[in-house]
Amino acid sequence: MSVSKENKPILLTVILLAAAFVVFFANRLLPQNSIFPSRSGDLTIPLWLFFAIDVGFIVALVLGVRTKKQRVVWFSIITNSIFFVLLSALMFLLAIANGISEP
């Protein structure tokens, strides 16, 4: 199964969006084996994972802009920009929550 060069940014955006949902809901989906400590309130692991996903949205944006199909370019600019801004806002709120919860 080969993905063409023009469709890689779209596929990367979908994978990153799914990864963001998995990281966000990981504590609810797998409470026993969670990577997030629920009692201590330490949010550094989700912050770093969301940061990596945010960088991935920037990479997908650059890959999308470099393609030759106009639909892929516009899709990449619109969706990756929206997801980047929303995830950055979520990371900011998580950083504030992490700062408040630590002694």
Side-chain angles (χ1 to χ4, degrees):
M1 181 175 152
S2 176
V3 179
S4 67
K5 186 177 179 180
E6 288 84 16
N7 294 331
K8 282 184 183 179
I10 297 172
L11 183 64
L12 183 60
T13 302
V14 171
I15 290 171
L16 289 170
L17 185 62
F21 276 114
V22 167
V23 170
F24 188 75
F25 291 114
N27 201 19
R28 295 244 182 221
L29 296 174
L30 305 167
Q32 292 86 13
N33 300 328
S34 178
I35 58 173
F36 310 118
S38 60
R39 292 196 178 112
S40 67
D42 186 26
L43 297 173
T44 55
I45 295 172
L47 278 171
W48 282 108
L49 291 173
F50 281 135
F51 178 73
I53 293 170
D54 219 11
V55 170
F57 281 129
I58 294 172
V59 169
L61 177 70
V62 170
L63 288 175
V65 170
R66 296 179 79 195
T67 60
K68 294 190 178 15
K69 286 186 180 178
Q70 284 299 106
R71 291 183 185 193
V72 175
V73 171
W74 283 108
F75 176 81
S76 178
I77 290 172
I78 292 170
T79 57
N80 288 316
S81 299
I82 289 171
F83 292 147
F84 176 76
V85 168
L86 291 177
L87 194 59
S88 296
L90 178 67
M91 285 174 38
F92 176 72
L93 294 175
L94 281 176
I96 288 175
N98 193 30
I100 290 172
S101 69
E102 290 190 8

